[in-house]
Amino acid sequence: MKLRVLITDHLPEKSFEIFKKEGVDFDYRPGISYEEILDIVGKYDGIITRSRTPVTKELLERGKKLKVVGRAGVGVDSIDIEEASKRGILVVNTAGGNRISVAELTIGHMIACVRGIPYGHRGIIEGKWHKKALFGHELYKKNLGIIGLGRIGSEVARRALAFGMNLFAYDPYIPESKAEKLNVKLLKKLDDLLEISDIITIHTPLTDETRGMISHREFEKMKDGVVILNIARGGIIDHEALFEAVRNGKVGAFALDVYPEEPPEDFPLNDFPFMSLTPHIGANTQEAMENVASMVVTDVINALRGREVRSPVNFPLQESAATPFVKAYKKLAERMGKLFPALFGLKTPAIEIELLGNARNLGDIVRAYFLKGLLSQITDAHVNEINAPYLAKEKGIELIIKTGDGLHNFKNIIIVKGFNGGKNKIAGSVFDEKYYRILNIKDFWFEIEPRGELLFFETIDMPGIIGEIGYKIASRGYNISDLRYFTRRKFGLGILKLDRKPGRDLIEELKGLSYITNVAYVSL
Ligand code: NAD
């Protein structure tokens, strides 16, 4: 029987060639109603949709032959992933197909805002000649600070280099070698980037760490007249702080494609000449659409033919098949993956995992779940245990797994270290076949359940530290449910469990204390 795919939303016709070449039948029914899909979906092996089509439990039930759902785009809110997984149906999407379009829009905005092009344009239409008001800047020889040197940030760097700009980046999760290849100087701290840049452009995902990452304190650190762009995700820049910085002259120009609320209800800076605004159109190009279409068609066919897929969203296997020990190891590995970048960053993203004792056969599972946890901290792409190793490779993260006999009295133990050795180490174990615990950080031995809101701080050891930190946390209304503090040769490591997620203000206050050398937070 020939394979058949139903396409329920608009796809550029170019992508149909792939079906023809592969000998897969397809029915192109853009705009088909949900009820009609329910009637006919039983005939198909695969379905390709956009966000318009809800892929519900009901639809998946009716799709008796379905093996794959392809989402032409990134968001999968419209798809019942859990139901698909239960039924063994693979879901694929198309992360990364729009990087060039978004990078080009960024460059467009950069020039538009520093020269006031939209303001001049509007003036002409309104019969006003704003020649004197529009005294702008060149990009040539300016310092460009890129926050987030991933797919899009890298494409922006390549293009900015052609303009003769000096390139800097802050991205704690990429190797220095990646930045070097792009002629970008990788900076260790966000503050260093804020201080040195004439123009700042943001290309990070929206995560706990990046939400509100650019606020009042960060604007204060920037050069007077700085230019700032957010073409990534609304919410990374605190807009109240941005508007204040524009009004007080700190920001000389800015551009936005994304907003905390979309569409924004009202936009206060109506008359500011040096701004460029677009309604979240980063990926709206013919070419991005075509890329996305050929990616989704290729992945759907690969899935149907049993070949490797590029961008899986779910893991359609029965979770119940795993033993409690394996399930506990999955959780432990994933949580250690989340902890690792929070505690140590990924400056040398080469990681070694030792699996000892009766965990030694779990290499593939630990690799997949550790990378899933790690990537979930640094990207907002859909990361799962299937695509995590692929995404990690794309980001230049190298992971090797060694196995061996047990250590001390532990029946099983997992030890994760940065390749550069030193004290960047975490260890964990599963007790009684099901209880997973973290046992060691930076060579301090203890036992803690990796769950909840965990705050870590490193200190130069001296008397009074616990009292002062405890007081500062309590006076902001947080409850501490667990507290550990270890010291060795003037170095102290503290671990606190809080009753809720710590605000940026608390973290900044702790970072500002003279004896604190590092603060990290992770929600597990
Ligand atoms: P990516 O995952 O390839 O790159 C993101 C980079 O940010 C990674 O290198 C990661 O290490 C880095 N990063 C993560 N946390 C960081 C932090 N706290 N500080 C500094 N760097 C950090 O993603 P991408 O495909 O390049 O997309 C980047 C952003 O662009 C995403 O937010 C995405 O949603 C957005 N986007 C916007 C549009 C649009 O229409 N405007 C279209 C597509 C993507």
Side-chain angles (χ1 to χ4, degrees):
M1 277 282 278
K2 237 179 162 189
L3 295 166
R4 275 182 94 173
V5 175
L6 174 65
I7 305 165
T8 64
D9 292 284
H10 178 74
L11 273 199
E13 293 196 6
K14 247 186 172 176
S15 53
F16 302 157
E17 293 302 317
I18 309 173
F19 283 115
K20 291 177 193 154
K21 222 168 87 193
E22 291 271 354
V24 173
D25 282 345
F26 65 97
D27 284 331
Y28 182 44
R29 304 280 306 272
I32 182 175
S33 74
Y34 176 68
E35 287 69 29
E36 272 182 281
I37 300 176
L38 291 184
D39 283 344
I40 62 169
V41 69
K43 295 189 289 189
Y44 295 93
D45 303 278
I47 180 169
I48 296 181
T49 68
R50 289 185 182 275
S51 54
R52 187 192 71 91
T53 305
V55 180
T56 57
K57 184 173 176 189
E58 188 185 20
L59 188 151
L60 294 165
E61 247 165 32
R62 301 264 192 118
K64 294 274 180 257
K65 286 168 68 186
L66 278 183
K67 288 172 208 70
V68 55
V69 175
R71 162 75 168 96
V74 179
V76 284
D77 303 345
S78 54
I79 300 174
D80 189 336
I81 306 279
E82 212 184 314
E83 186 61 28
S85 304
K86 273 193 213 150
R87 295 179 171 273
I89 300 171
L90 182 69
V91 180
V92 296
N93 72 354
T94 58
N98 46 31
R99 64 175 91 181
I100 304 288
S101 295
V102 184
E104 288 185 0
L105 183 72
T106 305
I107 299 291
H109 267 307
M110 211 179 285
I111 300 175
C113 75
V114 295
R115 302 301 297 270
I117 295 174
Y119 189 76
H121 171 94
R122 200 168 76 189
I124 299 284
I125 288 169
E126 291 170 356
K128 294 174 191 154
W129 192 245
H130 288 313
K131 190 172 167 85
K132 284 203 181 115
L134 290 181
F135 218 80
H137 288 282
E138 292 180 348
L139 302 185
Y140 183 57
K141 290 205 167 161
K142 296 295 182 305
N143 290 348
L144 175 66
I146 302 172
I147 306 181
L149 197 61
R151 288 181 287 238
I152 295 168
S154 302
E155 295 299 342
V156 169
R158 289 194 179 96
R159 283 150 185 79
L161 196 65
F163 283 95
M165 303 183 84
N166 309 314
L167 305 183
F168 300 87
Y170 170 69
D171 187 330
Y173 307 119
I174 59 156
E176 223 162 287
S177 55
K178 174 172 179 181
E180 270 167 24
K181 274 189 212 141
L182 290 162
N183 293 296
V184 175
K185 183 166 169 33
L186 194 61
L187 302 172
K188 288 201 167 44
K189 292 193 202 138
L190 177 61
D191 282 1
D192 297 340
L193 180 138
L194 302 177
E195 282 161 18
I196 205 169
S197 302
D198 300 302
I199 301 177
I200 296 172
T201 183
I202 300 172
H203 301 286
T204 65
L206 182 66
T207 62
D208 275 351
E209 212 183 347
T210 61
R211 191 181 301 278
M213 179 188 219
I214 303 295
S215 191
H216 297 279
R217 190 194 80 88
E218 288 70 30
F219 279 112
E220 269 168 35
K221 296 254 167 200
M222 294 177 197
K223 287 186 182 180
D224 290 338
V226 67
V227 177
I228 184 154
L229 295 90
N230 185 6
I231 316 296
R233 290 286 298 272
I236 300 175
I237 299 184
D238 168 353
H239 274 205
E240 284 312 311
L242 170 68
F243 299 148
E244 189 185 310
V246 171
R247 288 193 190 102
N248 68 25
K250 176 56 106 175
V251 165
F254 72 95
L256 302 170
D257 185 46
V258 289
Y259 307 82
E261 189 188 309
E262 293 184 359
E265 253 181 33
D266 65 330
F267 202 81
L269 303 168
N270 196 21
D271 258 349
F272 182 61
F274 296 100
M275 68 178 176
S276 180
L277 307 173
T278 43
H280 204 148
I281 57 164
N284 280 20
T285 64
Q286 193 61 38
E287 292 78 4
M289 280 242 305
E290 281 170 10
N291 275 342
V292 159
S294 69
M295 278 170 78
V296 74
V297 171
T298 306
D299 250 9
V300 163
I301 295 174
N302 282 346
L304 291 177
R305 296 241 187 264
R307 300 191 290 241
E308 196 181 336
V309 297
R310 191 192 141 104
S311 205
V313 173
N314 66 339
F315 194 27
L317 280 187
Q318 298 297 329
E319 172 68 5
S320 55
T323 63
F325 179 66
V326 171
K327 281 186 189 168
Y329 247 91
K330 286 179 181 176
K331 288 201 177 117
L332 179 63
E334 186 172 345
R335 284 164 200 224
M336 289 176 85
K338 285 187 175 183
L339 271 172
F340 193 86
L343 288 172
F344 311 129
L346 283 176
K347 277 168 208 84
T348 47
I351 298 166
E352 180 184 296
I353 295 186
E354 277 183 273
L355 273 176
L356 306 178
N358 59 6
R360 60 147 74 86
N361 296 328
L362 300 181
D364 287 346
I365 287 176
V366 164
R367 176 190 300 278
Y369 281 83
F370 178 84
L371 289 172
K372 177 185 174 193
L374 184 148
L375 289 165
S376 71
Q377 294 298 96
I378 67 174
T379 173
D380 59 3
H382 283 277
V383 184
N384 54 48
E385 50 281 24
I386 308 178
N387 67 4
Y390 172 84
L391 285 175
K393 207 160 132 195
E394 203 183 62
K395 287 185 181 295
I397 297 169
E398 202 185 320
L399 186 141
I400 62 160
I401 296 201
K402 293 182 175 168
T403 55
D405 295 333
L407 181 79
H408 305 318
N409 286 329
F410 298 112
K411 280 193 191 156
N412 65 77
I413 186 160
I414 164 172
I415 304 171
V416 182
K417 316 186 228 192
F419 262 6
N420 57 345
K423 301 248 178 294
N424 287 355
K425 174 166 138 188
I426 322 176
S429 182
V430 170
F431 298 119
D432 204 14
E433 298 287 299
K434 54 179 185 285
Y435 302 111
Y436 51 96
R437 297 288 183 268
I438 299 293
L439 298 180
N440 184 307
I441 292 177
K442 293 206 166 192
D443 273 345
F444 289 110
W445 288 94
F446 53 91
E447 187 209 311
I448 196 166
E449 188 183 8
R451 184 194 291 275
E453 312 297 327
L454 296 182
L455 187 73
F456 299 85
F457 55 93
E458 291 173 21
T459 68
I460 302 163
D461 186 38
M462 56 183 229
I465 287 182
I466 298 183
E468 189 171 347
I469 289 180
Y471 175 73
K472 288 200 182 294
I473 291 175
S475 60
R476 285 184 185 269
Y478 295 92
N479 217 351
I480 299 173
S481 62
D482 199 348
L483 163 67
R484 319 286 173 97
Y485 186 65
F486 315 96
T487 60
R488 187 196 306 121
R489 279 180 242 115
K490 298 246 172 244
F491 170 73
L493 172 72
I495 308 175
L496 287 163
K497 264 192 193 180
L498 300 181
D499 61 337
R500 67 193 149 93
K501 182 180 162 187
R504 190 165 284 276
D505 46 356
L506 172 63
I507 292 182
E508 290 306 329
E509 185 179 3
L510 295 179
K511 278 187 180 164
L513 296 172
S514 60
Y515 49 82
I516 288 215
T517 53
N518 193 22
V519 179
Y521 157 73
V522 66
S523 178
L524 295 175

